[in-house]
Every structure is written in structure tokens, then in C-alpha cells.
Amino acid sequence: MNRYFRKVLGLAFISSLIYLSYKVYFKIKGLIELNKTLPQYLENVIGEKPEVNITYTLNKYTMSVCFSKEILEKNKDLETTILDYISDFYPMLKKNKISIELIEKKSEDT
């Protein structure tokens, strides 16, 4: 009986480890795809291609999106546009775990 319990416990441990790895893999894969497609989407919608930096820490996603000052002043609802895009095309990333930072792009005067 002890041997049977050990086998069942080992199988449960391995299957839960595989399941968690599967979920983390799809989250990271979704973040990589989002990092590639979000700048193209925002360029089509707004007209300027931003610089996007995504950081994943445990259960929190931090997105830094850099736009020029004019774009930030004209479009006040950029955060909702980005969150709507993520919820439509990347449902594996939870909306409530994402924080978006809109950063003004520094102009280079040369």
C-alpha cells in the first residue's frame, strides 16, 4: 500500500509540474508575440511606432511605452487602447495584472 501511495504521489507531482510549466510557457510566448505585434498595431492606429519594453515579474507585467510628446497630448486614452488590444488578442495575459507606463520620448536635438 505504501508503494502504491508513493507512485500516485509521484505521478501527481510530475503532472502538476508539467501543467505549471505549460502555463508559464504560454504566458512567456504570449509576451514575446505581444512585444512584436503591439508596436505595429499602435503604429497603424496612432501613426507613430513606439518603443515597447515589457517586464514580467512573478505575476505582474510592467509595460513601458514611449511616445513623443505630441502623441501623448493628443491621445489621452492610450492605456485603454493597449489594454483592449491585449484582452482581445492575448487572453492568456490577465488585464488586472498589467501596469502600463506611458513615457515621453526624449527628442534628440543635433
Side-chain angles (χ1 to χ4, degrees):
M1 188 69 174
N2 191 15
R3 197 171 184 189
Y4 174 74
F5 182 69
R6 183 179 290 177
K7 283 184 181 182
V8 170
L9 189 61
L11 184 62
F13 176 74
I14 290 172
S15 63
S16 63
L17 188 64
I18 290 172
Y19 175 74
L20 289 174
S21 300
Y22 176 77
K23 290 195 58 117
V24 169
Y25 168 74
F26 274 108
K27 284 183 182 181
I28 292 174
K29 184 179 175 190
L31 284 174
I32 291 170
E33 290 177 6
L34 178 66
N35 198 21
K36 291 178 183 177
T37 60
L38 184 64
Q40 294 171 353
Y41 170 75
L42 290 174
E43 183 179 20
N44 291 338
V45 171
I46 297 170
E48 180 182 337
K49 189 171 185 177
E51 297 174 13
V52 178
N53 184 15
I54 301 174
T55 306
Y56 174 57
T57 310
L58 292 178
N59 279 335
K60 185 178 180 186
Y61 309 100
T62 305
M63 297 180 63
S64 300
V65 183
C66 296
F67 279 108
S68 64
K69 185 176 183 178
E70 297 83 28
I71 296 296
L72 289 175
E73 289 173 356
K74 281 197 298 188
N75 302 311
K76 299 294 183 188
D77 62 341
L78 283 174
E79 287 187 26
T80 57
T81 304
I82 294 170
L83 286 175
D84 290 341
Y85 176 75
I86 292 171
S87 65
D88 289 343
F89 294 104
Y90 298 97
M92 76 279 295
L93 306 175
K94 305 292 184 205
K95 256 174 84 168
N96 57 356
K97 305 232 182 208
I98 297 174
S99 66
I100 298 174
E101 299 173 356
L102 296 175
I103 301 172
E104 182 179 326
K105 196 182 290 186
K106 304 219 186 228
S107 62
E108 299 172 5
D109 296 328
T110 54

